[in-house]
Amino acid sequence: MADQAPETSPSPGASDGPATGPARSFGAVADAYDRGRPSYPREAAAWLAGTDACTVLEVGAGTGKLTRALVDLGHDVHATEPDPALLEILKRDLPDVPVSESPAEQLPLPDASVDVVVAAQSFHWFDHERALPEIARVLRPGGRLALVWNVTDTRIPWVRRLGALIGTGEHGEDPAAAVVTSPHFGFVEEASFKHWQVVDRESIQDLVRSRSNVALLDEPERAAKVAEVVAFYDDYGRGMDGMQLPYLARCFRAMVVREDAGPAGEQDEEPEGARDPMTDTISDGTDTDMLLIDFR
């Protein structure tokens, strides 16, 4: 099933999504993306999809940074990604995960077939007017949409300086705003989880090359930007020991609102003892102190 998608009944008007521009710039730097981008903490994956095994559709899965954490939690994951170069890496590293080369605007699954739809570092690229109804279509009653972004912790001075060099990659104060205003989803919950990525002189170059704004530069400009960041690392890094780059995994989740819901949009009550894949969660990480260090 890894190379063949099941039959689909996409929403009317669904498209193949954006084929050019920043959203599709990552295929040319797929290996750098896989080596340089941070993963996601287990606690964040558990908050997004729950700890009781359920059926998860990951949309815009990239090279599988979050996919592995979802699989490790015991979930039945189907991963979709419109970029074939990114998808090849996911298939190589997670050969048992069913995959589909498809965009968020045209999902290759039947109606009401999954418990959770999750998107990691990708929701901002979607055509929300088309993707959100399509996501709602494949969710079962009581199912959730879950989103996550890794954002650097710019409270630390050297992290702010690094962000100024390569772009912070942040997506605003409310990256889930389209879900908040969508008639297809209810109240949006939010949680954040602190974690660190160890980067060295090589992997920080991959991190820079994997940024969409850098990937779109011509080769001389890209080489100059990488050289600028390497010089920064030589000033602030710790040689072979690398540097600890702090992140917050910003997570959001919301329950689908079915068209066949009762009065006032209420969901049908689940029978007593029914499993809720989102109920059993792990600490949101707010009780963990972050060590703020300026390496200068």
Side-chain angles (χ1 to χ4, degrees), residues 4-266:
Q4 184 174 357
E7 292 184 3
T8 177
S9 53
S11 298
S15 73
D16 288 340
T20 59
R24 296 301 294 270
S25 64
F26 300 109
V29 292
D31 288 330
Y33 189 103
D34 189 52
R35 293 189 302 260
R37 289 297 184 101
S39 58
Y40 299 87
R42 179 183 176 89
E43 293 81 4
W47 191 89
L48 293 164
T51 55
D52 288 341
C54 65
T55 303
V56 178
L57 172 64
E58 186 180 2
V59 185
T63 63
K65 291 289 183 178
L66 179 63
T67 317
R68 186 181 300 278
L70 295 170
V71 170
D72 288 345
L73 286 168
H75 297 308
D76 178 15
V77 182
H78 183 115
T80 68
E81 167 56 49
D83 194 306
L86 298 176
L87 197 61
E88 280 301 313
I89 294 176
L90 191 155
K91 290 161 60 177
R92 178 198 70 196
D93 294 343
L94 297 167
D96 295 331
V97 172
V99 300
S100 300
E101 185 182 323
S102 53
E105 297 80 9
Q106 193 168 17
L107 298 176
L109 294 179
D111 295 354
S113 58
V114 300
D115 298 307
V116 180
V117 173
V118 64
Q121 216 76 21
S122 58
F123 182 72
H124 54 286
W125 298 122
F126 299 170
D127 179 342
H128 297 143
E129 290 187 1
R130 293 177 173 177
L132 286 171
E134 184 71 348
I135 290 168
R137 177 185 68 79
V138 303
L139 281 167
R140 296 181 178 126
R144 267 84 163 182
L145 169 61
L147 311 173
V148 59
W149 284 267
N150 273 325
V151 296
T152 52
D153 189 336
T154 55
R155 292 176 298 174
I156 303 173
W158 72 265
V159 177
R160 287 199 300 273
R161 288 190 281 270
L162 178 62
L165 286 178
I166 65 176
T168 61
E170 317 299 6
H171 306 289
E173 287 299 316
D174 191 4
V179 183
V180 173
T181 59
S182 171
H184 302 286
F185 295 91
F187 179 77
V188 178
E189 301 175 82
E190 180 176 359
S192 294
F193 301 84
K194 303 168 186 177
H195 64 116
W196 302 76
Q197 179 192 20
V198 178
V199 292
D200 57 25
R201 200 173 191 271
E202 296 301 318
S203 61
I204 200 169
Q205 296 180 54
D206 287 324
L207 177 63
V208 176
R209 294 189 184 100
S210 76
R211 297 287 185 145
S212 58
N213 60 304
V214 176
L216 291 171
L217 298 174
D218 59 35
E219 182 54 38
E221 291 176 312
R222 188 160 53 247
K225 178 58 65 177
V226 171
E228 191 176 10
V229 173
V230 168
F232 173 89
Y233 176 85
D234 289 341
D235 281 344
Y236 284 85
R238 287 294 180 266
M240 294 296 293
D241 294 333
M243 58 167 58
Q244 300 278 334
L245 186 55
Y247 283 93
L248 293 176
R250 292 192 66 192
C251 301
F252 305 84
R253 66 188 185 193
M255 183 181 293
V256 68
V257 175
R258 307 297 304 182
E259 292 182 359
D260 55 357
E266 293 180 356

